[in-house]
Amino acid sequence: MTTTAAPQDTRPADEPRPVTLPFALMFIGALGFVATYVMAVLSTRGQSVDSGLMDAVTLSGSRHDAVAAALPNPYLLLGGALVIGLLALLRRTRTGLAVLVAVPLLVVSTQVLKPLLPRPTLADPWVMSNSLPSGHTGAAAALALALLLVSPARLVPAAAVVGTALTAYMGLAVVLLGYHRPSDVLASVMLAVGAGGLGLLVRGRPLS
């Protein structure tokens, strides 16, 4: 009687397992978000630099109107991300679930955290409620995240380029329009990184 040996894992002992990437992304996202909030919102120097940068680049007049007209609709971006997740659900259940878990978590967190986080008046010349994180940027990042999670390995670089460009464009636009400070945009990106880690964990296979 012959026996067949179980296949051995030939990866080097020090090579990180795929499961470490999702947890690393979630940790980086959470740490980055907290650090952004503490440095840009809870410190006088941070508020001064953050608001100063926004004021320095905010457009007015016809240029403001042109950028506002070209601003992507965040609801359409979110709808597109959810449609991608639903379509993926029909072919790969875990991939679809990954999108339908990560995307709503990202978008809801941008809306829930904003009114919950206090913004002390330290350096701003006017009193205004907290605007961190940016919901517009979160919607763009949600679509980028959906594209990354459903893309096969050969298309991941292209999806990363498209998603990064869309998120960067939205983030830059809302700063130029004076809707958000740079820290608001960065905080949403950090949330997207964390949500992406959770999505990878649900999906259960390496990104590439």
Side-chain angles (χ1 to χ4, degrees):
M1 182 176 66
T2 60
T3 59
T4 302
Q8 300 295 315
D9 189 347
T10 58
R11 289 177 300 186
D14 59 346
E15 181 180 339
R17 305 282 172 165
V19 74
T20 61
L21 177 60
F23 288 110
L25 291 176
M26 287 189 284
F27 176 77
I28 292 171
L31 183 63
F33 179 86
V34 172
T36 300
Y37 174 68
V38 170
M39 291 188 294
V41 178
L42 299 185
S43 75
T44 302
R45 178 63 176 171
Q47 281 196 12
S48 177
V49 172
D50 199 27
S51 295
L53 287 173
M54 182 187 69
D55 293 340
V57 301
T58 297
L59 302 175
S60 60
S62 60
R63 292 187 300 171
H64 180 282
D65 295 340
V67 174
L71 190 69
N73 187 311
Y75 296 105
L76 291 180
L77 297 178
L78 173 59
L82 294 176
V83 167
I84 289 173
L86 291 172
L87 292 176
L89 195 63
L90 300 176
R91 300 188 60 186
R92 290 179 176 269
T93 302
R94 292 193 64 168
T95 297
L97 287 176
V99 175
L100 296 178
V101 168
V103 164
L105 175 65
L106 169 57
V107 175
V108 169
S109 64
T110 64
Q111 301 305 309
V112 171
L113 290 172
K114 195 177 304 181
L116 289 180
L117 296 175
R119 182 182 182 86
T121 303
L122 302 175
D124 289 336
W126 56 83
V127 178
M128 60 185 297
S129 60
N130 177 52
S131 57
L132 179 151
S134 165
H136 282 77
T137 307
L143 181 56
L145 185 57
L147 290 174
L148 278 171
L149 287 172
V150 303
S151 293
R154 69 182 185 280
L155 295 180
V156 165
V161 170
V162 172
T164 300
L166 175 62
T167 305
Y169 175 78
M170 180 68 91
L172 177 61
V174 294
V175 174
L176 292 176
L177 292 171
Y179 295 169
H180 283 285
R181 303 172 180 86
S183 64
D184 303 344
V185 173
L186 179 59
S188 287
V189 171
M190 290 296 101
L191 289 176
V193 171
L198 179 60
L200 288 178
L201 191 64
V202 173
R203 195 182 67 173
R205 59 184 174 88
L207 186 62
S208 60

